[in-house]
Amino acid sequence: MSTAPAPAAVEAVDYHTAGEPFRIVAGGLPPVPGETVAERRAVAIGAGGTATAPRPGQLDELRRLLTREPRGHAGMYGGFVVPPDDDGAHLGVLFWHKDGYSTACGHGTIALAAWAVDTGRVPAPDEGTAEVRIDVPSGRVAATVHRHGGRTTGIAFRNVPAFVTARALAVNTRYGPCTVDVAHAGACYASVRAADLGLAVTPARLPGLTAAGQAVRAALDGHPATRHPTDPRLSGVYGVVLYEDLPDSPDGPVQRNVTVFADGQIDRSPCGSGTSARLALLAADGRLAPGQVLRHQSLVGTEFTGRVLGERSGGLLTEVTGTAHRTGEHRFLLDPDDRLGTGFLL
């Protein structure tokens, strides 16, 4: 627990994307130095810190305040809205979770696009579409917001290029050996067939899935396949996608997954950036032909759809479609006499 000072009031709007929370903070932020979103993320992490072990600071105290009980919980996710890198984007964002700061977040991008239109930050018609461009630590992403009857009905986001760096890596964990595929899609994802570890993607197996994901991530620590070829800040396994195949639909493959990310956090959605990584792997396998669609289901039964649009910058341009819904608007406070300070995690 921390009793370091935090802003007197923090304004936030909460969304969920396919069941995964996203807390958007646009008011009450301290200044975050930097010329780009990537530089601001480095400032948030702090000199000597890491993505999952940031150095103490005013901004990180705010992250802790919003992810820890009693204002948050261990599964909370969100973002600080910051200026974009240049006038080509509408906004920038620093993604965060209970352990620190991520380089990409597909479900967060979907929620931010909905929020930008819902609040009028980006003008949108009652009928038709609007384009929202967002600078994230891994690059610039874009989202098409679909509107009908004055309401947002769906969001399709186009990620930074996705590419495969390793296939069928032999990995030993305390759950036994397995083979792992590695792909980068704004962050590095390791994909493992859940059955190879004696698991099924069901809520009843969640403790085992979580532990297995952590074990795979630890086993790949420092592996060359997890290094980004041009940007070391994007290196290292961020998420482990434990998946299972379901019967194909007429439009393409159907899979269910749970993504274990950071230090054992569970994505309730099908994982937006992880879906991009799965698209790159399926395309490499010849299982996703041009025009086909991946139906990607989550542990809680929600779904994203994904498709490959073409090649770009040495990778694949992928599009992931989902929905986001506003769940609340908040003004968070920290009472100076509150001995719990920024809270606790269980």
Side-chain angles (χ1 to χ4, degrees):
M1 301 173 195
S2 171
T3 56
V10 179
E11 307 290 341
V13 180
D14 279 13
Y15 279 73
H16 84 83
T17 305
E20 177 74 355
F22 195 77
R23 179 162 286 169
I24 300 168
V25 183
L29 283 172
V32 188
E35 295 297 320
T36 66
V37 170
E39 290 179 6
R40 292 185 181 94
R41 177 176 179 268
V43 169
I45 291 172
T50 68
T52 53
R55 299 288 294 172
Q58 188 178 9
L59 191 69
D60 203 57
E61 289 296 317
L62 181 54
R63 176 189 66 83
R64 291 168 180 259
L65 182 81
L66 298 174
T67 57
R68 297 182 171 204
E69 296 187 52
R71 299 166 190 83
H73 53 80
M76 180 54 69
Y77 210 116
F80 298 136
V81 176
V82 296
D85 294 358
D86 56 49
D87 292 341
H90 295 100
L91 65 139
V93 61
L94 301 180
F95 295 122
W96 44 256
H97 45 72
K98 73 175 177 65
D99 300 307
Y101 301 88
S102 56
T103 58
C105 178
H107 93 271
T109 299
I110 290 172
L112 281 163
W115 168 81
V117 166
D118 291 346
T119 59
R121 189 180 187 119
V122 175
D126 286 345
E127 301 287 339
T129 63
E131 187 85 358
V132 181
R133 295 177 298 279
I134 304 171
D135 283 333
V136 307
S138 55
R140 180 163 293 170
V141 298
T144 300
V145 180
H146 295 268
R147 304 269 293 169
H148 178 66
R151 296 177 58 84
T152 295
T153 57
I155 301 98
F157 94 92
R158 295 172 298 287
N159 201 5
V160 299
F163 54 92
V164 178
T165 54
R167 303 306 305 270
L169 287 178
V171 172
N172 288 312
T173 75
R174 60 191 178 95
Y175 291 88
C178 62
T179 59
V180 179
D181 298 319
V182 181
H184 292 254
C188 179
Y189 289 91
S191 288
V192 183
R193 193 180 302 275
D196 290 352
L197 293 170
L199 295 166
V201 183
T202 65
R205 305 303 300 273
L206 185 56
L209 291 163
T210 304
Q214 291 175 296
V216 170
R217 182 172 182 260
L220 289 173
D221 186 35
H223 194 284
T226 71
R227 298 175 193 153
H228 194 278
T230 61
D231 190 344
R233 294 172 297 188
L234 307 182
S235 295
V237 174
Y238 169 66
V240 176
V241 183
L242 296 141
Y243 71 93
E244 59 189 18
D245 283 295
L246 302 176
D248 287 358
S249 77
D251 298 324
V254 182
Q255 294 186 332
R256 179 165 50 229
N257 89 91
V258 61
T259 299
V260 182
F261 65 92
D263 190 18
Q265 199 161 333
I266 298 299
D267 199 327
R268 277 77 172 160
S269 81
C271 188
S273 303
T275 298
S276 287
R278 293 298 305 152
L279 288 167
L281 289 164
L282 287 166
D285 285 339
R287 293 191 56 196
L288 195 70
Q292 287 194 306
V293 173
L294 166 67
R295 289 177 51 198
H296 212 202
Q297 298 180 5
S298 74
L299 190 74
V300 300
T302 55
E303 185 174 288
F304 289 156
T305 58
R307 59 184 181 140
V308 174
L309 300 180
E311 297 185 7
R312 191 182 76 176
S313 305
L316 296 179
L317 179 61
T318 61
E319 182 182 76
V320 178
T321 300
T323 58
H325 302 278
R326 184 162 31 184
T327 60
E329 300 179 9
H330 309 281
R331 186 171 184 266
F332 291 104
L333 306 171
L334 177 56
D335 187 330
D337 296 325
D338 187 348
R339 295 182 62 187
L340 284 177
T342 54
F344 57 91
L345 290 171
L346 292 178

